Amino acid sequence: MYLNGQLIYDDSHFLDHTEHHVPVQIYWGTEHSDIGFVEQCSPQYVKINNVFYNRRQFTFVSRPGY
């Protein structure tokens, strides 16, 4: 499905991670911010660990097997 470390950015990527319970790691620039499962997503935000992350401000990385 997705490789460990693969960038995710498309709506379908976030929906796949939600459906298959694949963790997502979140970065702000080069700094790790959080890791968890996608609870909700919209074109502007992704909700992980009850926090809404702006999709333009943060980078999201697939972490299968984490």
Side-chain angles (χ1 to χ4, degrees):
M1 177 181 210
Y2 292 88
L3 300 174
N4 190 27
Q6 182 176 343
L7 293 178
I8 58 173
Y9 49 86
D10 193 62
D11 288 345
S12 65
H13 299 165
F14 290 106
L15 293 173
D16 286 343
H17 281 70
T18 302
E19 182 179 329
H20 298 287
H21 306 287
V22 176
V24 173
Q25 190 168 9
I26 304 152
Y27 288 91
W28 185 39
T30 60
E31 296 291 321
H32 165 79
S33 293
D34 202 356
I35 190 166
F37 298 97
V38 176
E39 299 168 23
Q40 295 177 354
C41 63
S42 75
Q44 294 82 26
Y45 293 94
V46 177
K47 183 179 179 186
I48 297 174
N49 295 331
N50 210 31
V51 176
F52 289 92
Y53 292 95
N54 186 311
R55 288 173 58 172
R56 291 186 197 171
Q57 184 176 5
F58 292 89
T59 302
F60 303 90
V61 177
S62 183
R63 292 293 184 210
Y66 179 82

